[in-house]
Amino acid sequence: MSSLDTIVRLPGLTLKNPVLTASGTFGYGLEFARYGNLADLGGIVVKGLSLKPRQGNPMPRIAETPCGMLNAIGIQNIGVEAFLRDKLPFLPWRETAVIANLYACDAHEFGELAAVLASVEGMTALEVNVSCPNVKEGGVAFGQNPGQIRAVTEEVKRNAGSKPVIVKLSPNVTDIADAARAAVDGGADMLSCINTLMGMAVDIRTRKPRLANVYGGLSGPAIKPVALRCVHQVCRAVSVPVIGVGGIASAEDILDFILVGAHAVQVGTANFMRPDAAFRMASELPALMEKLGIDGLDDFRGSLRA
Amino acid sequence: MSSLDTIVRLPGLTLKNPVLTASGTFGYGLEFARYGNLADLGGIVVKGLSLKPRQGNPMPRIAETPCGMLNAIGIQNIGVEAFLRDKLPFLPWRETAVIANLYACDAHEFGELAAVLASVEGMTALEVNVSCPNVKEGGVAFGQNPGQIRAVTEEVKRNAGSKPVIVKLSPNVTDIADAARAAVDGGADMLSCINTLMGMAVDIRTRKPRLANVYGGLSGPAIKPVALRCVHQVCRAVSVPVIGVGGIASAEDILDFILVGAHAVQVGTANFMRPDAAFRMASELPALMEKLGIDGLDDFRGSLRA
Amino acid sequence: MLASRNNCQDLRVVRMTPLGGGEGAPPLFELVLSPPGWDFRPGQFIMIRPPEWGLDLVWGRPLSIADVREDGLRLLVQAIGRGTHRLSELRPGQVVTVWGPLGNSFAVEPDKPTLLLAGGIGIAPFVGYARRHPKPENVTLLFGHRLPAESYPLADFGGLRKAEAVREQNPEQLARFIDHLGQTMRGYAHGGLVLACGPEPFLRTVRKLALTLKARAQLSLENRMACGVGACLGCVARNGKDQLVQTCTHGPVFWAEDVFLSEDAAPLGGKP
Amino acid sequence: MLASRNNCQDLRVVRMTPLGGGEGAPPLFELVLSPPGWDFRPGQFIMIRPPEWGLDLVWGRPLSIADVREDGLRLLVQAIGRGTHRLSELRPGQVVTVWGPLGNSFAVEPDKPTLLLAGGIGIAPFVGYARRHPKPENVTLLFGHRLPAESYPLADFGGLRKAEAVREQNPEQLARFIDHLGQTMRGYAHGGLVLACGPEPFLRTVRKLALTLKARAQLSLENRMACGVGACLGCVARNGKDQLVQTCTHGPVFWAEDVFLSEDAAPLGGKP
Ligand SMILES: Cc1cc2nc3c(=O)[nH]c(=O)nc-3n(C[C@H](O)[C@H](O)[C@H](O)COP(=O)(O)OP(=O)(O)OC[C@H]3O[C@@H](n4cnc5c(N)ncnc54)[C@H](O)[C@@H]3O)c2cc1C
Ligand SMILES: Cc1cc2nc3c(=O)[nH]c(=O)nc-3n(C[C@H](O)[C@H](O)[C@H](O)COP(=O)(O)OP(=O)(O)OC[C@H]3O[C@@H](n4cnc5c(N)ncnc54)[C@H](O)[C@@H]3O)c2cc1C
Ligand SMILES: Cc1cc2nc3c(=O)[nH]c(=O)nc-3n(C[C@H](O)[C@H](O)[C@H](O)COP(=O)(O)O)c2cc1C
Ligand SMILES: Cc1cc2nc3c(=O)[nH]c(=O)nc-3n(C[C@H](O)[C@H](O)[C@H](O)COP(=O)(O)O)c2cc1C
Ligand code: FES
Ligand code: FES
């Protein structure tokens, strides 16, 4: 292990390292306690939470694709109340950042959800999922409209008290910089990007879609080039810190995102490749930095020679 | 070999089978004559052509990514004149469809290019590339704006005489159905979809982008789920025939696209996995259809039970 | 605070033995991995993913733990798709990532007459179950299969009261097997225990019979899985309380009356 | 009409022999594939992609044809990245897809004193060149390398006038080698022929020397390639007429004065 400093200072919170886990891929965190010390992570973003419990979409909900996967879980979750009662107390929130991921269908509901979470000591920050692409068979989703992104962000901010607000952007837009500016205008303290790409898979034998929901979100290494491009565009468009997400599967991948300007990253689908993936990346990062002659993340960040 | 009928009837042209090659991945066609009989293909879409020769982008222009690749060739081409003089005469255009891919920077130039090509006997159809994502470091490209798509399509149509006009759509938009409708409103006889997704890759050792152009187009199996979703959305939005493109690497993949509604497909990056890929797919398709109990493409097309 | 030991390990391939295949049935293999350092309860499974898969095939594959013996972790693999085919090409010495043991397990009720119903590769979890049962004389196996019986590790079931293997190569044989299934299950309807593992149509049949006969029966489900640890919610099944629960953590073993199989389930009509 | 024979074939691995490695240098292998049924001109290359790569690593990898002999197609592989590493794990009997022979070849001028300059794995095309040269007594090899000389197939150069192998393990040795290079090339400046293959910095040095000395020199480029057949335009180099030409079809061998190497080249300033 190296003695390199991997601390990341963000508005209203400090991460011991830049490795967070992505919402929906790490459950409520506790599922992974058998595979590493949760407190060793930079932070945990838990499964999308709604005001009331949700059953999500019908099965099948997942499909494997080349270097990636599709999901249309439909934000099945136990609801914010059960989360705060049954899960949060068991998470090491004094030792690492525990970030809620908020899911709702309109600005008002988002505000309510934010208000509930804002009052809870164990919640480090709130991430707003305005970018769920799991809409039944097309149509333009919520998070693809800058006006709505701004409205939701404002509403969450109004209710979030002192908790930092992260807005998570969808890549399924013509201009992600526009979406980023809308979120920042609405008061976002940080942005995370990207959520999944809208995709589809079918079975020529049964002639059915592989997801009951027909469309789902594409994630995994396959989308990394798109995620990296989005993060680069967003970092150039706004000045709030950006958290990179999408296809990260190694410590090298983490540095890719930091090189284009990200402050931190989230590990998603890679948690399925092996459940200790995020822990391994967090522990391998300092040695890799040393090997590459990177003294600190602050110097390295955004140092792309383009 | 099976005796199944794989003929595809399209407005103004008939393909002996649904397997075309995608522009930019099959050169001017002749490069692949050592790997199969060009006349066995449903058709050949040649490299993007501009009025004048173009040098394209600086090197490096290509990078490999998980299950895919990035390119920022920048439409290097010999120009329409040299193509008609030095290449077309050697292509088997009496035996298979030879389709030009038009590249220009404004509607007027597109019209000029169409006029030149419209008068040539050996050109079966014109495909309009309004979706080149290889723009220097972001910004919203040409083909992402429905108004421009419509204008370009009208201009090409006006100059295309009796040649069928195919408009090739970009997936880098919020709503591809909108783009499709714009093209159809402009008079497109067919649509092809999709062009590449905008992406990026970097090298943490040199701290440089892997493409001199910074951004490039992502193609290959990685994007197949996105392509399939786009084709499905477009087939539901418009009634002109759609040609599916994106990540096709096997005869099964071809049927995936036809199942969601495509009339034909284009094989792109798979031509790099082995240069006889398109030939193999064309020859394997009938046997696969027989195995799956698919009597004809017309019955199978769009028969997804969703 | 929870312990931070890592239940995800890199094990070595000790042995890969082809057991048979062809004749229209997918080939079968016995895979033995180096001792994992844990024990298990029959019915539990592991997730397996060789690091050499690189970035393609992003999910591990769930395999029932057939047994853990001195020489290592035993698995049975039927090569039916991309992943299991690549698993079947593993060679001794190669490294595979394994996490587990995962999920719940089959009921063990030593004094109850116990009927094991296995369909094809569904035999896997019963290898350890039969060997570890305190009173094997109370256990009977009924096994429907497509490969020749010699392809399966039936010797492991030697101590049972009875082990019956019925080949089902054509629809007729299959129908006869299902008939036989019903007959046999009848004998366990009162005070017995029926445990089933196999393809979903097979489980559906067993479930229907169990509900009709009011037999106490457990089914081991083979839902598609991404994480195996309860996190992704991709593997859910609908339970008796109309909840969607993770098959990987609430299962893979369910009581027949406490689970709906996909075609039983009314459309959920869930919103996105 | 052009012929439709298929120059893309599935060949079998006959032999994979590790030749050395470690000590900070990437490992080297000799790969022999079943006879391809074609002959070649030294300097040409093939593209190789094992079908087992599936959908990841979408490009074949370019490798110089070291030789085609009775026992098959000989290649030298240095495992430097994902693809070449996976190639080095091939075992006899496995199938690999190969297309070629591709590209142009080195000049053969039997009566001219010919100097082969090889840097590391750049030795590969010279194996066949040396063996097939009509007058090997006119040919000299100067070979800079990092692995011990025994790691390379230097026996294949036995018939030459002279074969000199210089190890360059540290910057000092490298500087001395470059010095020596200049000295040696001087002897070929008038009426000789210099052929070079190796890493780009090495080629840059050779090119500069050749232009200064006005020596007739050819360089074999190793540009990144996707298709290998001239179609993708990903591998282009800038030639003396300021055109961007495909290295895979107009090269890989270029006359020193007719090509710019990447750092020589003025920024192209091409528009998208
Ligand atoms: C708890 C459990 C225990 C199992 N035990 C065994 C065992 O002991 N031996 C054995 O050979 N098989 C077992 N299976 C089934 C095995 O996991 C699948 O055959 C395997 O995942 C198929 O993967 P593939 O890549 O070969 O097939 P593909 O069809 O290419 O797989 C595509 C995707 O679908 C999923 N999938 C496809 N079929 C199944 C299936 N029947 N069950 C679950 N997921 C599927 C795969 O995980 C994969 O991600 C078990 C499954 C579960 C859930
Ligand atoms: C005409 C020609 C002949 C060659 N002959 C030989 C030979 O005989 N033996 C040998 O060991 N190598 C040879 N090379 C180099 C060899 O092709 C590369 O080492 C190999 O492609 C690297 O792939 P990788 O996946 O291991 O590396 P990675 O770095 O993982 O590759 C990433 C991508 O970059 C490309 N790439 C990386 N380095 C190179 C390079 N130096 N040259 C070309 N492409 C590169 C790869 O094709 C790959 O697509 C030759 C290259 C060319 C162009
Ligand atoms: C199974 C699954 C469930 C997900 N659920 C959520 C969610 O509830 N909220 C959210 O904001 N993102 C969700 N995501 C998106 C991820 O957080 C992440 O943005 C995306 O997967 C891209 O990262 P990756 O490629 O590393 O997986 C989910 C992704 C997957 C694969
Ligand atoms: C190297 C390369 C060059 C391309 N050039 C063009 C082009 O000139 N015109 C065009 O319309 N599309 C071009 N494309 C896009 C392809 O035609 C195709 O739409 C895209 O690659 C998706 O298909 P695939 O995943 O099968 O490759 C190019 C793609 C690649 C990989
Ligand atoms: S497989 Fe992920 S929750 Fe069960
Ligand atoms: S590698 Fe494609 S043109 Fe040379």
Side-chain angles (χ1 to χ4, degrees):
Chain A
M1 274 288 290
S2 151
S3 61
L4 269 176
D5 184 7
T6 56
I7 285 182
V8 179
R9 267 165 277 270
L10 294 171
L13 73 154
T14 298
L15 308 176
K16 62 175 70 155
N17 65 57
V19 186
L20 310 170
T21 55
S23 178
T25 67
F26 210 66
Y28 299 108
L30 302 166
E31 294 86 344
F32 289 81
R34 287 171 68 189
Y35 305 100
N37 186 349
L38 295 174
D40 289 346
L41 297 171
I44 299 165
V45 186
V46 299
K47 175 66 193 167
L49 293 167
S50 47
L51 275 175
K52 299 266 158 280
R54 286 172 54 91
Q55 283 227 329
N57 288 328
M59 292 283 286
R61 297 171 166 190
I62 54 175
E64 217 180 18
T65 66
C67 286
M69 62 174 283
L70 288 166
N71 90 81
I73 306 298
I75 319 282
Q76 177 177 349
N77 76 98
I78 58 177
V80 67
E81 208 177 298
F83 168 73
L84 294 177
R85 183 187 61 226
D86 301 337
K87 304 290 178 185
L88 185 60
F90 303 98
L91 284 168
W93 53 267
R94 289 185 195 279
E95 297 159 74
T96 189
V98 176
I99 299 174
N101 178 275
L102 283 65
Y103 179 82
C105 291
D106 58 57
H108 178 74
E109 214 179 312
F110 265 116
E112 263 187 83
L113 197 51
V116 175
L117 290 159
S119 63
V120 181
E121 189 189 0
M123 300 291 357
T124 315
L126 311 184
E127 183 182 64
V128 187
N129 178 8
V130 288
S131 45
C132 181
N134 293 344
V135 277
K136 183 105 186 162
E137 294 197 29
V140 174
F142 207 49
Q144 293 170 282
N145 178 316
Q148 283 177 329
I149 293 174
R150 185 183 168 144
V152 165
T153 310
E154 282 172 350
E155 191 64 20
V156 171
K157 247 330 246 188
R158 220 187 327 272
N159 290 280
S162 63
K163 305 279 185 207
V165 170
I166 306 164
V167 175
K168 185 166 179 182
L169 302 176
S170 164
N172 301 303
V173 294
T174 305
D175 188 358
I176 198 164
D178 254 9
R181 281 183 290 260
V184 172
D185 289 347
D189 300 296
M190 285 166 270
L191 303 174
S192 53
C193 101
I194 57 174
N195 211 312
T196 53
L197 284 163
M198 213 202 308
M200 174 182 191
V202 298
D203 183 337
I204 49 176
R205 283 160 192 83
T206 61
R207 302 196 187 184
K208 286 203 264 193
R210 289 194 189 270
L211 302 176
N213 190 57
V214 185
Y215 298 154
L218 182 65
S219 64
I223 70 166
K224 203 192 93 180
V226 175
L228 209 55
R229 181 264 299 173
C230 288
V231 170
H232 188 248
Q233 287 181 316
V234 168
C235 287
R236 296 166 67 108
V238 299
S239 56
V240 303
V242 174
I243 302 170
V245 202
I248 293 172
S250 67
E252 281 84 0
D253 291 342
I254 293 173
L255 291 181
D256 279 3
F257 279 85
I258 295 176
L259 182 58
V260 303
H263 271 72
V265 300
Q266 294 175 4
V267 175
T269 300
N271 295 309
F272 307 155
M273 296 168 78
R274 50 185 305 155
D276 56 0
F279 303 102
R280 283 161 63 103
M281 290 183 219
S283 89
E284 287 167 7
L285 186 62
L288 176 63
M289 288 168 60
E290 201 151 73
K291 195 178 126 196
L292 295 175
I294 300 169
D295 293 332
L297 293 176
D298 290 335
D299 289 347
F300 185 67
R301 181 173 308 115
S303 67
L304 186 74
R305 302 201 261 136
Chain B
M1 272 288 290
S2 152
S3 62
L4 269 175
D5 184 7
T6 56
I7 285 183
V8 180
R9 268 164 276 269
L10 294 171
L13 73 154
T14 298
L15 309 176
K16 63 175 69 156
N17 65 58
V19 186
L20 310 170
T21 55
S23 179
T25 67
F26 210 67
Y28 300 108
L30 302 166
E31 294 86 344
F32 288 82
R34 287 171 68 190
Y35 305 100
N37 186 350
L38 295 173
D40 289 345
L41 297 171
I44 299 164
V45 185
V46 299
K47 174 67 192 166
L49 293 168
S50 47
L51 275 175
K52 299 266 157 279
R54 286 171 54 91
Q55 283 227 330
N57 288 328
M59 292 282 286
R61 296 171 164 188
I62 55 174
E64 217 180 18
T65 67
C67 287
M69 63 173 283
L70 288 166
N71 89 81
I73 305 299
I75 320 280
Q76 177 178 350
N77 77 99
I78 58 177
V80 66
E81 207 178 297
F83 169 73
L84 294 177
R85 184 187 62 227
D86 301 338
K87 305 290 179 185
L88 186 59
F90 302 97
L91 284 167
W93 53 266
R94 290 185 194 280
E95 296 159 75
T96 190
V98 176
I99 299 174
N101 179 274
L102 283 64
Y103 179 81
C105 292
D106 58 54
H108 178 73
E109 213 178 314
F110 265 116
E112 263 187 84
L113 197 51
V116 175
L117 290 160
S119 63
V120 181
E121 187 190 0
M123 299 293 355
T124 315
L126 311 185
E127 184 181 63
V128 186
N129 179 8
V130 287
S131 44
C132 181
N134 294 344
V135 276
K136 182 105 187 163
E137 294 197 31
V140 175
F142 206 50
Q144 293 170 282
N145 178 316
Q148 283 177 328
I149 293 173
R150 183 181 170 148
V152 165
T153 310
E154 282 171 350
E155 192 63 20
V156 170
K157 250 327 248 189
R158 222 186 325 272
N159 289 279
S162 63
K163 304 280 185 206
V165 171
I166 306 164
V167 174
K168 186 166 179 182
L169 303 176
S170 165
N172 302 302
V173 294
T174 304
D175 187 358
I176 198 164
D178 254 8
R181 281 184 289 259
V184 172
D185 289 348
D189 300 296
M190 288 167 265
L191 302 174
S192 53
C193 104
I194 58 175
N195 211 312
T196 53
L197 284 163
M198 213 200 310
M200 175 181 190
V202 298
D203 183 336
I204 49 176
R205 283 160 192 85
T206 61
R207 302 196 187 183
K208 286 201 264 190
R210 288 192 190 270
L211 302 176
N213 190 58
V214 185
Y215 298 154
L218 182 66
S219 64
I223 71 165
K224 203 191 94 180
V226 175
L228 209 55
R229 181 265 298 174
C230 289
V231 169
H232 188 248
Q233 287 182 314
V234 168
C235 287
R236 295 166 69 108
V238 299
S239 56
V240 302
V242 174
I243 301 170
V245 202
I248 293 172
S250 67
E252 281 83 1
D253 291 342
I254 293 173
L255 292 181
D256 279 3
F257 279 85
I258 295 176
L259 182 59
V260 303
H263 270 71
V265 299
Q266 293 175 5
V267 175
T269 300
N271 294 309
F272 306 155
M273 296 168 80
R274 52 185 304 156
D276 55 1
F279 303 102
R280 283 161 60 104
M281 290 183 219
S283 87
E284 286 167 7
L285 186 62
L288 176 63
M289 287 169 60
E290 201 151 73
K291 196 179 125 196
L292 295 175
I294 300 169
D295 292 332
L297 293 176
D298 290 334
D299 289 348
F300 186 67
R301 181 172 308 113
S303 67
L304 186 74
R305 302 201 261 136
Chain C
M1 216 32 275
L2 286 145
S4 73
R5 88 166 243 222
N6 185 354
N7 276 38
C8 175
Q9 326 169 48
D10 285 340
L11 301 179
R12 281 197 177 273
V13 175
V14 173
R15 216 161 51 234
M16 171 65 82
T17 319
L19 299 180
E23 313 181 48
L28 191 70
F29 298 83
E30 186 191 51
L31 171 58
V32 182
L33 302 178
S34 53
W38 40 250
D39 201 14
F40 79 111
R41 298 187 313 278
Q44 289 190 295
F45 67 101
I46 51 117
M47 295 288 281
I48 180 170
R49 187 175 184 279
E52 57 161 29
W53 286 3
L55 299 174
D56 199 16
L57 300 190
V58 293
W59 300 340
R61 296 297 188 260
L63 294 177
S64 301
I65 301 170
D67 215 343
V68 176
R69 301 190 196 167
E70 257 163 46
D71 60 350
L73 169 59
R74 272 161 203 252
L75 306 162
L76 291 175
V77 186
Q78 187 152 40
I80 61 150
R82 284 208 299 164
T84 47
H85 178 76
R86 286 177 72 171
L87 287 178
S88 74
E89 289 180 333
L90 287 170
R91 293 292 160 263
Q94 284 187 276
V95 168
V96 294
T97 303
V98 167
W99 55 106
L102 302 168
N104 67 1
S105 52
F106 286 116
V108 182
E109 301 180 352
D111 296 316
K112 294 252 169 75
T114 301
L115 175 63
L116 310 181
L117 296 174
I121 190 70
I123 191 86
F126 294 135
V127 170
Y129 189 93
R131 216 178 58 100
R132 290 169 178 227
H133 197 279
K135 296 195 178 165
E137 63 276 17
N138 284 340
V139 182
T140 292
L141 170 73
L142 177 55
F143 177 38
H145 55 93
R146 285 191 295 168
L147 294 176
E150 307 82 70
S151 297
Y152 299 90
L154 288 176
D156 292 327
F157 296 88
L160 302 195
R161 192 161 89 112
K162 190 174 163 197
E164 198 181 350
V166 182
R167 196 153 177 200
E168 17 158 302
Q169 278 187 297
N170 53 45
E172 222 170 77
Q173 289 174 320
L174 181 60
R176 232 180 298 141
F177 175 67
I178 290 174
D179 235 40
H180 187 45
L181 201 68
Q183 304 278 322
T184 314
M185 275 181 69
R186 217 171 292 272
Y188 293 79
H190 303 286
L193 178 64
V194 176
L195 309 177
C197 184
E200 193 156 312
F202 170 78
L203 294 183
R204 241 190 322 266
T205 306
V206 173
R207 181 171 177 278
K208 247 182 257 158
L209 287 167
L211 296 188
T212 313
L213 297 169
K214 297 201 180 354
R216 291 177 61 246
Q218 289 188 319
L219 314 175
S220 179
L221 266 53
E222 295 201 347
N223 285 13
R224 215 182 281 173
M225 294 183 175
C227 69
V229 304
C232 73
L233 302 172
C235 68
V236 295
R238 204 172 168 208
N239 73 8
K241 294 186 207 123
D242 211 30
Q243 297 164 324
L244 291 172
V245 296
Q246 297 96 317
T247 301
C248 60
T249 49
H250 293 246
V253 178
F254 292 90
W255 289 101
E257 69 276 14
D258 193 36
V259 72
F260 293 89
L261 301 181
S262 38
E263 288 188 22
D264 303 324
L268 277 166
K271 293 273 169 335
Chain D
M1 220 26 276
L2 286 145
S4 73
R5 88 167 243 222
N6 184 356
N7 276 38
C8 176
Q9 326 169 47
D10 285 340
L11 301 179
R12 278 196 180 274
V13 175
V14 174
R15 215 161 53 234
M16 171 67 83
T17 318
L19 298 180
E23 312 181 47
L28 191 70
F29 299 83
E30 186 191 51
L31 171 59
V32 182
L33 301 178
S34 53
W38 40 250
D39 201 14
F40 79 112
R41 297 186 315 277
Q44 289 189 296
F45 67 101
I46 51 116
M47 295 289 282
I48 180 169
R49 187 175 185 279
E52 57 161 29
W53 287 3
L55 299 174
D56 199 15
L57 301 192
V58 292
W59 300 340
R61 296 298 188 259
L63 295 178
S64 301
I65 302 170
D67 215 344
V68 175
R69 301 189 196 167
E70 256 162 46
D71 60 350
L73 169 59
R74 273 161 203 252
L75 306 161
L76 291 175
V77 186
Q78 188 152 39
I80 60 151
R82 284 208 297 165
T84 47
H85 178 75
R86 287 177 71 172
L87 287 179
S88 74
E89 289 180 333
L90 287 169
R91 294 292 159 261
Q94 284 187 276
V95 168
V96 293
T97 304
V98 167
W99 56 106
L102 301 167
N104 66 1
S105 52
F106 286 115
V108 182
E109 302 180 352
D111 297 314
K112 294 251 170 74
T114 300
L115 175 63
L116 310 181
L117 296 173
I121 189 70
I123 191 86
F126 295 135
V127 171
Y129 189 92
R131 216 178 59 100
R132 290 169 179 228
H133 197 279
K135 296 195 178 164
E137 63 276 16
N138 285 338
V139 182
T140 293
L141 170 73
L142 177 54
F143 176 37
H145 55 94
R146 285 191 295 168
L147 295 176
E150 306 81 69
S151 296
Y152 301 90
L154 289 176
D156 292 326
F157 297 87
L160 303 194
R161 191 162 89 112
K162 191 174 162 197
E164 200 181 348
V166 183
R167 197 155 176 198
E168 17 158 300
Q169 280 187 295
N170 54 45
E172 221 170 78
Q173 290 175 319
L174 182 59
R176 232 180 296 141
F177 175 66
I178 290 174
D179 235 38
H180 187 45
L181 201 67
Q183 304 278 323
T184 315
M185 275 180 69
R186 219 171 291 272
Y188 293 79
H190 305 286
L193 178 65
V194 177
L195 309 177
C197 184
E200 193 155 312
F202 170 78
L203 294 183
R204 241 189 323 266
T205 306
V206 173
R207 180 171 177 278
K208 248 183 255 156
L209 288 166
L211 297 187
T212 312
L213 298 168
K214 299 203 183 344
R216 291 176 62 244
Q218 289 188 320
L219 314 174
S220 179
L221 266 55
E222 293 201 348
N223 285 14
R224 215 181 281 172
M225 294 182 176
C227 71
V229 304
C232 73
L233 302 172
C235 69
V236 295
R238 205 174 167 210
N239 72 8
K241 295 186 207 123
D242 211 30
Q243 297 164 325
L244 291 172
V245 295
Q246 298 95 317
T247 301
C248 61
T249 49
H250 293 246
V253 178
F254 292 90
W255 287 101
E257 69 275 14
D258 194 35
V259 72
F260 293 89
L261 300 181
S262 38
E263 288 188 20
D264 304 324
L268 278 166
K271 294 273 171 333

